[in-house]
Amino acid sequence: MNRPFTGRHMALVLVGFFGTIIAVNVVMARYAASTFGGIVVENSYVASQHFNKWLDDAEAERALGWDAVTAWRPDGRLLVTLKGPGAEASVAGVARHPLGRLPDRALRFEAIGEGRYLSHEAVPEGRWTLRLAVADGAQRWRREEALQ
């Protein structure tokens, strides 16, 4: 029962091999296109013109000595504990879904004492990127962290 390897067999091998590669590439491209929700910057050239200023701003913020610890409460609200100089600060935030599938959520925080701030709004479970903005007089401090 030895059958010779013919051109038909070779054609089936080639079609099967390249068909598999093409099918995997199509599936991966669909996954990649469906999970990326947007762009990072509108114009990378314009963003590059501001890069050194952003580095200087980040260094000035780091020199302020602020730090924040964020905790997710069972009711979905966020508790931010600030550490650093200054007695009375105002805290605001934006919760962004990292893949852009859910709309951004603006967060307002209320001081509850001892450097702790509680959000008025709840954030649904899942992965979020929290952007905090703390203002104490003329001093401004920002932080971005992943929530899970």
Side-chain angles (χ1 to χ4, degrees), residues 15-148:
V15 167
F17 176 77
F18 287 109
T20 301
I21 290 175
I22 291 170
V24 168
N25 283 338
V26 167
V27 168
M28 297 302 281
R30 285 187 51 114
Y31 282 145
S34 68
T35 58
F36 182 64
I39 58 176
V40 177
V41 293
E42 289 291 328
N43 184 328
S44 59
Y45 176 74
V46 172
S48 71
Q49 302 302 305
H50 301 288
F51 187 72
N52 286 336
K53 182 185 180 313
W54 294 339
L55 289 178
D56 294 340
D57 291 347
E59 185 61 35
E61 289 176 4
R62 211 174 0 262
L64 292 174
W66 287 91
D67 194 17
V69 176
T70 306
W72 218 325
R73 291 175 28 134
D75 63 359
R77 296 189 300 168
L78 299 177
L79 179 66
V80 174
T81 304
L82 287 179
K83 298 175 184 173
E88 296 297 320
S90 63
V91 179
V94 174
R96 299 182 64 202
H97 197 265
L99 299 178
R101 291 189 175 179
L102 298 174
D104 294 353
R105 297 179 182 270
L107 302 173
R108 294 173 295 133
F109 289 86
E110 180 180 346
I112 58 174
E114 300 176 2
R116 297 180 306 153
Y117 297 82
L118 184 63
S119 68
H120 290 272
E121 300 80 15
V123 178
E125 289 186 23
R127 292 179 55 199
W128 293 90
T129 300
L130 175 65
R131 290 185 174 175
L132 281 178
V134 178
D136 185 14
Q139 296 179 341
R140 303 276 186 258
W141 182 78
R142 296 173 296 176
R143 178 186 184 132
E144 184 172 311
E145 64 180 287
L147 298 175
Q148 295 186 25

